[in-house]
Amino acid sequence: VPKGAGYGLIRVMMKLTGYSLPASSTSIYLNILKKHSIFSSNIFQRNPTKSRGPSTYTQKDQVLAHAVMVAGQYLPPWFSVAPMMDWTDNHYRTLARLISKHAWLYTEMLAAETIVYQKDNLDRFLAYSPEQHPIVLQIGGNNLENLAKATELANPYHYDEINFNCGCPSPKVAGHGCFGARLMLDPKFVGEAMSVIAANTDVPVSVKCRIGVDDHDSYNELCDFIYKVSSLSPTRHFIIHSRKAMLNGISPAENRSIPPLKYEYFYGLLRDFPDLRFTINGGINCVDEVNAARRAGAHGVMVGRAAYHNPWQVLGHVDSVIYGAPSSGITRRQILEKYQVYGDSVLGKYGIKPHVRDVVKPLLHLFYSEPGNGLWKRKADAAFQNCKETLVAIPDSVMDSPVAEPLSGRDDLFENIDSLLPTPYKLREQE
């Protein structure tokens, strides 16, 4: 698709006016940091154990940190958007950052082999705009040499954290690929992998995993995994998807709904590993529920598909409701104008990719549940394919309104969680 055609198409979609977002460094953020920065910054700023052996951690290194700025620049990861294959690409992250300045963003999972084999074409896979900070690179793989090389190759792109995928249940990943969620069955290897990754970067490292795999789904087995990985590596941050992974043939979509959520496992980890930091993931759909999880003790909360399918309502309240920042008052018309500039700058950047439909894909969800949303998506989709003008389907009252009140969450999501906690973890004697 010619660059000019894409620019004209997006211009035709909406006639927009200029807008500048307010600076994020205001006194309210400084007060937040002063209130919460009572913990060691060694864990979350730079890797404190890069030059040390995998088991030589001091108590100072292991101090839990609720809220500390990474590299002195960003607010803590109380809210993050989950890494999602084919979804959390550069285009979506650009839109997400226009809506929220402080949500932590994750890349799609990138296989270490892809990074290594594409070392002469890395911008296509690893480049992003500076506005996307704070941003975390998620990598996957099961080859220590490639994980080391991939981490080293990613260093010039200055990601704020490197996350290792131990939770993807996709047959391509956990099945034929033998990584992702399958790695939870080999915590020794995960510990070695995390040590290798940490040795090749100066930024914090973390693991994203499930609460179990197939029949290996007891709380004690989950604790064994956490204990071994954190003992063998500098890993101090775990993102826990509170469902187990089933690798017996069900689809990734079914893996997000069939295994039951067991939030009690997550909160059991908080009790049994007070020197580590845990982010909860799974089944949390709005900022009300994010705050409920944090009130129950979660150090951070990760939201996935809700942040993609309804970005305006979910991400639009993160800065004010989660971080206490003033509301920007930005409208969707103003967001579209900024996104228009971005879209024009990237169309056809890598030959025929990305094309118009790639770039505009995240916008299809910007008017979720609003009047005219169905017509907007149908007409826009036709326009992307045929490069014809589309109708302005969304009423001006919707286009020019700031984000409305937050969606109501489920009040009982973490009700009486303390009474549901599993039996405290006890390390088996043979260990």
Side-chain angles (χ1 to χ4, degrees):
V1 178
K3 183 176 181 180
Y7 181 81
L9 172 62
I10 300 175
R11 286 185 63 90
V12 167
M13 287 169 65
M14 295 294 155
K15 295 180 180 178
L16 308 163
T17 58
Y19 186 80
S20 297
L21 290 175
S24 60
S25 299
T26 65
S27 59
I28 188 167
Y29 310 138
L30 296 177
N31 289 335
I32 292 173
L33 292 171
K34 289 177 181 178
K35 179 179 179 181
H36 293 283
S37 60
I38 59 176
F39 304 103
S40 168
S41 62
N42 287 345
I43 298 173
F44 300 103
Q45 290 190 2
R46 298 291 175 183
N47 189 341
T49 59
K50 181 178 178 181
S51 60
R52 301 188 297 188
S55 299
T56 58
Y57 306 116
T58 66
Q59 184 63 35
K60 181 178 180 181
D61 293 331
Q62 297 178 350
V63 173
L64 176 64
H66 274 293
V68 65
M69 292 176 71
V70 174
Q73 298 179 51
Y74 312 117
L75 293 174
W78 292 332
F79 180 100
S80 55
V81 178
M84 293 174 282
M85 292 296 293
D86 299 322
W87 287 8
T88 51
D89 56 15
N90 229 329
H91 314 312
Y92 171 79
R93 296 194 309 266
T94 298
L95 177 65
R97 183 57 74 220
L98 289 173
I99 301 173
S100 169
K101 290 300 178 188
H102 301 303
W104 281 63
L105 305 178
Y106 280 63
T107 68
E108 306 170 272
M109 183 192 71
L110 272 175
E113 284 70 22
T114 299
I115 298 174
V116 172
Y117 299 154
Q118 295 287 339
K119 62 182 179 180
D120 297 324
N121 191 28
L122 284 180
D123 279 2
R124 181 170 181 176
F125 298 91
L126 293 175
Y128 59 92
S129 65
E131 291 78 13
Q132 289 186 29
H133 287 289
I135 181 172
V136 180
L137 170 65
Q138 188 186 71
I139 60 176
N142 60 4
N143 180 287
L144 294 178
E145 183 179 355
N146 283 338
L147 287 169
K149 289 179 180 177
T151 303
E152 188 174 3
L153 288 169
N155 282 334
Y157 292 89
H158 302 293
Y159 285 91
D160 300 299
E161 183 173 306
I162 307 295
N163 179 262
F164 188 48
N165 186 312
C166 294
C168 180
S170 167
K172 293 181 180 179
V173 173
H176 301 300
C178 292
F179 61 102
R182 189 172 294 277
L183 292 180
M184 289 195 70
L185 302 177
D186 191 356
K188 182 177 181 292
F189 172 82
V190 176
E192 293 172 350
M194 294 307 295
S195 291
V196 164
I197 293 170
N200 285 277
T201 184
D202 286 329
V203 299
V205 295
S206 61
V207 167
K208 187 175 190 294
C209 64
R210 295 277 183 137
I211 59 171
V213 177
D214 292 333
D215 294 332
H216 300 275
D217 59 354
S218 71
Y219 176 69
N220 222 60
E221 287 173 296
L222 172 62
C223 290
D224 283 344
F225 176 82
I226 299 296
Y227 174 79
K228 291 175 183 177
V229 173
S230 60
S231 297
L232 293 171
S233 76
T235 310
R236 292 294 172 269
H237 180 198
F238 292 84
I239 298 123
I240 308 294
H241 187 146
S242 300
R243 287 186 173 94
K244 73 174 182 177
M246 298 176 67
L247 307 182
N248 58 357
I250 70 172
S251 69
E254 290 170 323
N255 257 296
R256 296 191 297 270
S257 59
I258 292 178
L261 286 161
K262 293 189 175 181
Y263 293 132
E264 61 270 23
Y265 278 24
F266 173 84
Y267 285 99
L269 295 176
L270 294 180
R271 175 197 62 198
D272 292 331
F273 295 91
D275 59 331
L276 301 179
R277 177 167 160 260
F278 294 98
T279 293
I280 190 171
N281 175 226
I284 299 172
N285 297 316
C286 64
V287 292
D288 271 4
E289 294 170 0
V290 170
N291 276 339
R294 293 190 61 236
R295 284 194 301 271
H299 305 137
V301 182
M302 177 175 279
V303 176
R305 278 151 183 78
Y308 187 88
H309 289 304
N310 192 2
W312 179 246
Q313 274 292 337
V314 175
L315 297 177
H317 295 289
V318 167
D319 293 356
S320 58
V321 177
I322 306 297
Y323 289 98
S327 175
S328 68
I330 195 170
T331 68
R332 279 173 279 197
R333 188 184 297 276
Q334 293 159 340
I335 285 172
L336 282 171
E337 184 189 45
K338 287 180 172 291
Y339 194 86
Q340 166 193 305
V341 175
Y342 162 77
D344 186 51
S345 71
V346 299
L347 283 172
K349 189 173 183 179
Y350 304 104
I352 63 171
K353 289 282 190 173
H355 52 66
V356 173
R357 198 167 188 183
D358 295 328
V359 173
V360 188
K361 179 182 173 183
L363 297 180
L364 296 178
H365 304 283
L366 188 59
F367 300 100
Y368 178 85
S369 78
E370 298 284 7
N373 178 57
L375 181 60
W376 156 267
K377 294 173 73 172
R378 290 194 300 274
K379 294 291 184 180
D381 185 68
F384 304 155
Q385 296 181 63
N386 301 317
C387 288
K388 295 178 181 178
E389 297 184 8
T390 187
L391 298 176
V392 179
I394 306 298
D396 287 345
S397 59
V398 172
M399 288 289 295
D400 297 318
S401 297
V403 65
E405 290 298 311
L407 298 173
S408 297
R410 291 162 289 175
D411 295 334
D412 60 347
L413 198 56
F414 303 100
E415 188 176 15
N416 301 320
I417 194 69
D418 289 341
S419 65
L420 302 174
L421 297 183
T423 302
Y425 174 57
K426 291 184 179 179
L427 191 64
R428 290 174 291 185
E429 288 187 12
Q430 63 267 34
E431 294 296 328

